[in-house]
Amino acid sequence: TMYALLTGVVPVDAPARMSGMQMLEPPRQLNRALSPLVEGVILRALEMDVARRYQSAAEMLAALQGKSIAGALTC
């Protein structure tokens, strides 16, 4: 959802990405106003490997705020 809202483009679906038929276009190529931080958060959230994705909304929020998950839990 964040990818689509910030780029105006629906991301390539997982089966197409997994098969190698299509690649996910980096968000900053579609919206140069995005910061590298926000792009990194979006790309991590869309990782094909579940273990590399955020494991909770709190972890993703902390990343958007430039904090570690430990910092987010103590605030």
Side-chain angles (χ1 to χ4, degrees):
T1 301
M2 184 183 278
Y3 183 102
L5 288 172
L6 295 176
T7 66
V9 175
V10 175
V12 175
D13 64 30
R17 290 171 49 210
M18 189 169 272
S19 72
M21 292 177 56
Q22 291 182 296
M23 301 295 291
L24 183 68
E25 192 165 357
R28 290 184 76 209
Q29 286 186 6
L30 299 167
N31 180 353
R32 292 281 182 201
L34 292 177
S35 71
L37 174 79
V38 170
E39 180 180 59
V41 169
I42 292 169
L43 291 175
R44 182 169 171 196
L46 290 171
E47 275 284 343
M48 295 303 298
D49 180 357
V50 176
R52 295 185 67 185
R53 287 186 217 144
Y54 295 106
Q55 300 302 301
S56 68
E59 186 180 3
M60 187 173 175
L61 177 60
L64 284 168
Q65 295 172 333
K67 301 176 184 176
S68 70
I69 188 66
L73 295 176
T74 59
C75 292

